Amino acid sequence: MIGRDLLGIERLERAEIERILDTAEHMREIGTREVKKVPTLRGRTIVNLFFESSTRTRASFEIAGKRLSADVINFSPSTSSLKKAESILDTARTLDAMDPDAVVVRHAEAGVPQRIADVLAAPVINAGDGAHEHPTQALLDLLTVRQEKGCIDGLTVTIVGDILHSRVARSNIYAFRKLGAEVRIAAPPPMIPCAIEALGVKAYTSLREALEGADVVMALRIQNERLAGAYFPSTREYSATFGIDRAKLRFAKDDAIVMHPGPVNRGVELAHDLADHRPGVILDQVRNGVAIRMAVLYLFAGRQPAEAAR
Amino acid sequence: MRFVKPEGSSAQGAEVGGGAGASSEVWPSHKPAATAILDEVGIRRSLMRIAHEILERNEEPDRLYLVAIPNGGVPLARRLAANLREIADLVVPVGVLDTTLYRDDLLSTGERPALRQTEMPSAVDDHVVVLVDDVVKTGRTIRAAMDALMDFGRPRVVQVVGLVDRGHRELPIKLDYVGKNLPTHPDDEVQLRGLEGGLRGPLELVVLSTEEASESRGAGK
């Protein structure tokens, strides 16, 4: 049932998503043991191929691989020496010749994991490509919401922030839609991609309306240094209109949870009081990140190519 | 030895003599879909006897710790715990330990098997751990369970309960408490049924012949 590569949520079926979540649920228990390691992927090699710098996701994949007893190798070629698509594939082929059992790829441009998967024998896990997808982030968000709310069906999820540039938003839209949630997005008009409604979401430019009755409020990280001035007048104005604070949160349901993929720009996407006084769910996201990546490596890494047809 | 005819037979509890040596009578070539080997009453009787044997064998019953191997071991371990409470007024912790991530055949299988629950209520250090499984055949699951157990601490002693011992061992594993020794064809499948009925059962242990076993496996996929 599970395919060869994990490139995006878009191509997964509901049953596959649920299989990954159920597996991750069991993986969480391993993190609570005294010996946080199982021998499942002993003798297997996982390559973290990160063309774009990342601390959290890479560390999360590394811990996940090590908890399953795999050998994890981090490979971060400098982007400057890899401008041409050919050289990216060359790098990938070189790695492939070392017979890894899975290659985890992150790249600043959309579609690179797919291109690499096309030439590699090993399964490829997308750890974020440009503004395309970040499937493991969406999976860990699903897991967190499922633990908090019991199930996903029928929930209202409001995603707030830079939808246009966000792979996290895109993967989460697919993920929550596939599991039966209503998804709303709220952002300043320039940050709402055109035709986003085709993905089955409702776009709002008023945060208040978008939060009305929401069960889950997901704030996205604003790359303020890059965007201020171009997409919204100033960080301060963004925070006044789209930053989540206690006052705005009153429009959502009383038991609404606030999520953030991290790292939080305090006082921008989330007010200080929310980021610092209710960090529980956001830390659960981090914990679930390791469990999800363990589940993904367990289900995808090192399977025999003949049986894991693409 | 007591063999129960499958459902539909009016001769519930009919005695078929001869014990283990009578395999030719017990396994006729025209055997029906699923042959019951132990019904609810038989299972209850076995588990009561095993509870007595556990107490007999262990001088420090307050160190006992039952660990079930899912799925079949779970209701059996719970019933053993209830029996121990009834007989000796003992409250024995019951853990559940999934062995899937410790299996020795994971690398060679295509689709990865689904994981099951693991829940160990307390440390196993210095306890007399009694592993409980429904059907023991090759011994590979017990091997995996022992490896998994060691990740939870250092038990003083590890013992094993098997409701059914089928033989066909591939590893040097011996059972300490056996509900029933059952010679079977290696390709047959022995199943504990009634797990969906919760703890109250009724449980039933059945043998599927080679053909039905392969059909059942196919249907399960």
Side-chain angles (χ1 to χ4, degrees):
Chain A
M1 185 182 74
I2 295 277
R4 200 198 73 155
D5 307 302
L6 178 63
L7 298 173
I9 302 290
E10 186 182 1
R11 292 192 219 169
L12 293 183
E13 286 167 19
R14 180 182 178 131
E16 292 174 298
I17 295 173
E18 285 174 339
R19 173 94 199 270
I20 297 171
L21 297 182
D22 293 343
T23 306
E25 207 80 68
H26 293 296
M27 292 296 185
R28 261 174 75 96
E29 182 270 328
I30 294 167
T32 66
R33 297 182 189 177
E34 209 174 295
V35 179
K36 297 178 181 51
K37 208 176 178 77
V38 291
T40 316
L41 295 180
R42 203 158 51 96
R44 302 267 143 172
T45 307
I46 290 159
V47 175
N48 280 336
L49 180 58
F50 277 54
F51 294 100
E52 187 186 66
S53 68
S54 146
T55 323
R56 296 159 161 252
T57 306
R58 205 200 64 191
S60 184
F61 268 108
E62 188 169 347
I63 291 172
K66 287 183 170 167
R67 286 198 177 160
L68 293 171
S69 298
D71 295 313
V72 183
I73 283 121
N74 291 310
F75 198 72
S76 308
S78 69
T79 345
S80 56
S81 66
L82 281 163
K83 288 229 167 84
K84 293 177 188 168
E86 286 91 328
S87 49
I88 291 174
L89 295 182
D90 280 345
T91 307
R93 282 199 191 96
T94 309
L95 284 175
D96 205 31
M98 300 173 195
D99 287 329
D101 295 285
V103 179
V104 179
V105 179
R106 168 170 287 200
H107 197 283
E109 277 173 50
V112 170
Q114 171 73 68
R115 291 288 306 279
I116 290 177
D118 289 342
V119 301
L120 287 201
V124 171
I125 314 287
N126 182 1
D129 59 332
H132 176 224
E133 282 232 41
H134 191 354
T136 54
Q137 176 72 41
L139 290 164
L140 75 88
D141 287 339
L142 283 176
L143 185 65
T144 309
V145 172
R146 203 169 78 164
Q147 281 160 359
E148 290 284 329
K149 298 289 177 187
C151 77
I152 310 281
D153 268 302
L155 293 181
T156 300
V157 179
T158 303
I159 306 177
V160 184
D162 184 7
I163 313 292
L164 184 65
H165 297 95
S166 175
R167 53 195 175 210
V168 175
R170 187 178 297 263
S171 287
N172 265 313
I173 289 170
Y174 287 126
F176 280 93
R177 289 293 299 137
K178 284 181 188 218
L179 291 201
E182 180 194 332
V183 180
R184 302 174 182 168
I185 56 172
M191 288 178 156
I192 298 181
C194 57
I196 189 77
E197 265 104 355
L199 298 184
V201 304
K202 203 148 186 288
Y204 294 80
T205 49
S206 152
L207 181 61
R208 182 183 172 155
E209 285 172 33
L211 289 180
E212 204 75 58
D215 300 283
V216 177
V217 182
M218 192 181 289
L220 299 173
R221 184 176 156 79
I222 289 289
Q223 314 275 346
N224 40 357
E225 54 295 328
R226 192 146 50 99
L227 300 176
Y231 292 88
F232 47 87
S234 69
T235 309
R236 211 169 132 189
E237 172 160 345
Y238 178 88
S239 138
T241 42
F242 286 97
I244 310 292
D245 56 26
R246 281 185 198 283
K248 296 199 190 94
L249 204 55
R250 283 202 196 100
F251 299 116
K253 281 195 185 151
D254 290 344
D255 62 347
I257 56 168
V258 178
M259 301 173 69
H260 192 291
V264 178
N265 289 315
R266 282 185 170 67
V268 183
E269 308 103 26
L270 292 185
H272 290 270
D273 57 343
L274 286 183
D276 293 328
H277 295 125
R278 280 175 56 186
V281 174
I282 293 170
L283 291 179
D284 275 343
Q285 286 176 276
V286 178
R287 237 167 260 131
N288 284 335
V290 175
I292 280 289
R293 284 156 189 137
M294 286 173 79
V296 164
L297 292 175
Y298 170 68
L299 293 170
F300 287 87
R303 290 189 297 158
Q304 288 183 343
E307 293 181 75
R310 193 175 285 205
Chain B
M1 286 256 171
R2 182 163 171 284
F3 294 94
V4 179
K5 288 268 158 34
E7 63 281 356
S9 163
S10 59
Q12 270 274 327
E15 298 287 329
V16 180
S23 57
S24 62
E25 290 170 45
V26 177
W27 309 121
S29 54
H30 58 275
K31 93 179 138 240
T35 312
I37 334 148
L38 273 176
D39 63 355
E40 168 67 22
V41 176
I43 290 172
R44 208 181 295 158
R45 201 174 287 158
S46 292
L47 291 176
M48 189 51 85
R49 170 175 53 78
I50 290 171
H52 280 287
E53 285 176 15
I54 290 173
L55 291 171
E56 225 171 66
R57 281 268 301 269
N58 295 290
E59 283 168 9
E60 294 175 294
D62 50 323
R63 288 190 187 276
L64 286 169
Y65 191 137
L66 296 171
V67 174
I69 299 173
N71 297 317
V74 178
L76 304 180
R78 299 250 161 86
R79 286 175 174 208
L80 276 175
N83 292 349
L84 290 170
R85 177 183 289 205
E86 194 186 317
I87 303 166
D89 204 23
L90 271 181
V91 179
V92 177
V94 180
V96 180
L97 187 57
D98 180 30
T99 57
T100 309
L101 293 170
Y102 295 80
R103 277 167 62 160
D104 56 9
D105 60 349
L106 275 182
L107 301 184
S108 56
T109 55
E111 186 93 349
R112 295 274 151 89
L115 303 185
R116 293 167 299 191
Q117 176 200 10
T118 290
E119 202 182 323
M120 298 289 283
S122 53
V124 298
D125 294 279
D126 232 19
H127 278 80
V128 176
V129 172
V130 181
L131 292 170
V132 184
D133 203 358
D134 51 354
V135 182
V136 179
K137 186 183 166 197
T138 61
R140 288 180 191 270
T141 302
I142 301 297
R143 196 282 311 163
M146 287 196 289
D147 276 2
L149 193 59
M150 299 308 162
D151 283 353
F152 286 87
R154 186 180 184 278
R156 174 181 288 192
V157 178
V158 179
Q159 298 170 348
V160 187
V161 172
L163 183 59
V164 164
D165 187 350
R166 295 185 55 183
H168 307 292
R169 211 68 94 231
E170 293 168 5
L171 294 174
I173 302 277
K174 111 181 152 45
L175 302 187
D176 299 273
Y177 313 97
V178 182
K180 188 178 190 68
N181 283 301
L182 184 75
T184 53
H185 189 274
D187 292 337
D188 284 351
E189 193 160 310
V190 179
Q191 290 179 347
L192 185 61
R193 290 184 172 175
L195 297 176
E196 58 287 341
L199 288 186
R200 309 215 163 264
L203 295 171
E204 183 187 42
L205 201 78
V206 300
V207 175
L208 301 177
S209 69
T210 312
E211 268 170 48
E212 281 105 24
S214 59
E215 268 170 33
S216 162
R217 273 193 294 271
K221 274 185 184 170

